[in-house]
Amino acid sequence: MDFIKNQLDGYGMSEQTIGYLSNMIMVVFIAVISILANFITKKIVLKTIIHIVNNNRYTWDNIIVEKKVFHKLSHLVPAIIIYFSASIFPAYQVLIEKAAATYMIIVTITVLNALLNAFDDIYRSFEVSKIRPIRGYIQVVKIVLFIIGGIVVISNLIGQNPLIILSGLGALSAVLMLVFKDSILGLVAGVQLSSNDMVRVGDWIEMPKYNADGDVIDITLNTVKVMNFDKTITMIPSYALISDSFKNWRGMQVSGGRRIKRSFYVDTSSICFCTKEMIEEFQKIHYLTDYVTTRLHEINAYNIENQINTESKVNGRQLTNVGVFREYIHQYLRNHPKIHKDMTLIVRQLAPGDNGLPLEIYAFSNDTNWGVYESIQADIFDHIFAVAPTFGLRAFQNPTGHDIVHLKESPEYSRGY
């Protein structure tokens, strides 16, 4: 500054004019230096760093570049130059230093925010992120970062110690708790969800209260985002997963088997004892040959041992068509390639009711994919409906309009029977 003043003094200018001109020259000079430094930083240093990042074998540093952490960091260079040049202008030194320091604090906050985003993306690239999501914790760190950054900026502008401002926040704790109620509840819920492994990204959850039935695609501080199977998005408060009940289908997906639980309703009027002709036909069925032979041997031995008169089928033990049919379904499922052999497999009778006798199929498919599961289930019941008449059984069905029309057209109906 003195050198410039001495040079201008040789031109015979007034002291006031020399002061203005020297200040303007220094401002332009500092601006040029700052622009030049910023140019060198971005065009040379930053490009060199990006080149090194793109040509190494690591992938995590590419995410840092994508989040523009180094780009934001480069904004500190001009601010540092301006801050240390403030002493050139004694009258405005304090104002320039405060402005430059405030700018550097804000840039630092944006750099740390971008770094946290990069860390979140890096963590998400690992499988453990689905089991232990940390996005909620990162959001808490961001809130703390912005609060502390705001306090430091304010304390810098008013020239007070940040601790004085922090001590004054004690009186505002009730207000802060009210403002950040959802965030606090979300943080507590996030800790419980994570520590108890209650829900992960990718889990299929069902929560009727919020009309949620689909896959969890994101877990944040305040909400859990669920993509329903109709491709709509449901946002559930994180703490609702702690306070309310929900169903997580992860166990089914992990086990490798999906439950089939459906009944075939038999018309009870079609149930009867097996005749010799029926037994002969059943012995021709591959899945029943050994079963029918064994059962006949047991029944005959029992009836002979107890001297039972078998002229009446009511006496002693007899095979029934519904019992043989139940065994056939069981053997059919045991040999089905899409049924999980290591999980529960039961074909049982439920209590008969207005809709006939329910034969319930309780088994597990070995493919949990929804489309495949529905196809397996449909194929099984297609076969059961088609094979039931072979056993002399009819599926129960309430009379339809078609049945009533045929009934009216029958000769018996016309004769008044």
Side-chain angles (χ1 to χ4, degrees):
M1 177 68 79
D2 293 336
F3 173 77
I4 295 173
K5 287 182 177 180
N6 292 332
Q7 294 297 321
L8 293 175
D9 189 43
Y11 292 98
M13 297 180 183
S14 63
E15 186 175 346
Q16 186 177 9
T17 304
I18 291 174
Y20 285 138
L21 286 175
S22 60
N23 286 335
M24 290 177 63
I25 292 171
M26 285 304 300
V27 168
V28 172
F29 178 74
I30 293 171
V32 170
I33 294 296
S34 300
I35 293 171
L36 183 61
N38 187 53
F39 178 83
I40 294 172
T41 303
K42 288 187 175 180
K43 298 298 181 180
I44 299 177
V45 178
L46 200 57
K47 281 191 174 181
T48 303
I49 294 174
I50 293 174
H51 177 74
I52 294 172
V53 167
N54 291 332
N55 289 278
N56 61 30
R57 60 189 180 89
Y58 302 106
T59 57
W60 57 268
D61 49 2
N62 296 84
I63 298 176
I64 295 177
V65 171
E66 290 174 4
K67 293 299 178 180
K68 298 187 180 300
V69 175
F70 298 115
H71 294 76
K72 291 179 172 64
L73 193 61
S74 66
H75 292 293
L76 285 175
V77 176
I80 293 172
I81 294 173
I82 294 172
Y83 180 83
F84 286 104
S85 303
S87 59
I88 299 175
F89 312 97
Y92 305 99
Q93 181 176 356
V94 175
L95 181 61
I96 294 172
E97 287 179 349
K98 285 184 177 181
T102 301
Y103 180 76
M104 286 191 288
I105 293 170
I106 294 172
V107 170
T108 302
I109 292 172
T110 60
V111 169
L112 292 176
N113 181 64
L115 197 59
L116 288 171
N117 290 334
F119 179 74
D120 184 33
D121 284 357
I122 293 170
Y123 183 75
R124 281 169 174 263
S125 64
F126 297 97
E127 285 297 322
V128 71
S129 64
K130 296 180 180 179
I131 303 174
R132 294 285 186 271
I134 62 168
R135 187 168 184 179
Y137 302 113
I138 288 179
Q139 288 178 329
V140 172
V141 173
K142 285 184 179 181
I143 291 173
V144 175
L145 173 66
F146 292 142
I147 291 174
I148 293 176
I151 292 172
V152 173
V153 168
I154 294 171
S155 64
N156 176 67
L157 292 174
I158 66 177
Q160 295 291 335
N161 192 319
L163 296 177
I164 297 176
I165 299 176
L166 285 172
S167 63
L169 291 177
L172 298 175
S173 57
V175 177
L176 291 174
M177 290 185 66
L178 180 63
V179 172
F180 295 105
K181 181 190 72 172
D182 290 338
S183 298
I184 294 171
L185 289 173
L187 174 62
V188 175
V191 172
Q192 291 182 333
L193 290 173
S194 179
S195 60
N196 296 323
D197 197 18
M198 296 172 65
V199 65
R200 307 174 185 171
V201 174
D203 283 357
W204 167 18
I205 68 170
E206 187 177 344
M207 202 169 189
K209 181 178 179 180
Y210 292 90
N211 294 320
D213 185 11
D215 297 328
V216 176
I217 59 175
D218 197 12
I219 300 175
T220 64
L221 178 61
N222 294 324
T223 58
V224 174
K225 187 184 294 185
V226 178
M227 176 176 282
N228 300 311
F229 294 126
D230 59 359
K231 301 305 178 184
T232 58
I233 304 294
T234 299
M235 308 297 290
I236 305 174
S238 298
Y239 58 83
L241 296 175
I242 302 297
S243 59
D244 299 328
S245 63
F246 70 96
K247 183 186 289 186
N248 192 330
W249 291 84
R250 187 202 311 157
M252 177 272 294
Q253 295 170 327
V254 172
S255 68
R258 189 165 181 176
R259 187 182 69 175
I260 298 172
K261 185 182 180 184
R262 185 183 290 183
S263 295
F264 173 80
Y265 291 89
V266 177
D267 189 341
T268 54
S269 64
S270 64
I271 298 175
C272 64
F273 290 113
C274 294
T275 63
K276 289 183 179 180
E277 292 77 13
M278 294 173 67
I279 291 174
E280 289 175 359
E281 290 298 321
F282 294 158
Q283 287 180 319
K284 296 177 183 178
I285 299 174
H286 178 69
Y287 293 144
L288 293 177
T289 303
D290 293 337
Y291 169 77
V292 173
T293 303
T294 303
R295 291 291 291 167
L296 284 176
H297 178 74
E298 291 177 0
I299 290 171
N300 291 333
Y302 176 85
N303 292 337
I304 293 172
E305 182 181 350
N306 292 276
Q307 299 180 352
I308 293 173
N309 181 8
T310 57
E311 292 181 1
S312 173
K313 288 186 177 295
V314 177
N315 298 330
R317 297 171 60 184
Q318 301 289 338
L319 284 175
T320 62
N321 59 346
V322 71
V324 177
F325 181 56
R326 181 164 48 84
E327 177 63 22
Y328 171 79
I329 296 173
H330 188 267
Q331 294 298 329
Y332 171 74
L333 294 175
R334 285 185 61 186
N335 290 276
H336 198 289
K338 293 295 184 178
I339 295 297
H340 206 299
K341 305 304 185 296
D342 297 327
M343 292 188 174
T344 306
L345 173 56
I346 299 174
V347 181
R348 60 176 181 168
Q349 286 187 17
L350 300 181
D354 296 338
N355 293 328
L357 176 66
L359 286 181
E360 185 183 74
I361 312 299
Y362 194 102
F364 290 82
S365 66
N366 56 18
D367 195 321
T368 60
N369 181 274
W370 186 16
V372 177
Y373 162 78
E374 293 293 348
S375 177
I376 294 169
Q377 190 170 224
D379 287 343
I380 289 172
F381 278 86
D382 287 347
H383 181 79
I384 291 174
F385 275 98
V387 81
T390 305
F391 295 85
L393 296 170
R394 292 188 302 273
F396 180 88
Q397 178 175 296
N398 289 320
T400 65
H402 179 75
D403 297 326
I404 295 172
V405 169
H406 278 269
L407 178 63
K408 288 183 178 180
E409 293 175 353
S410 65
E412 290 82 1
Y413 182 84
S414 63
R415 289 197 297 267
Y417 291 150

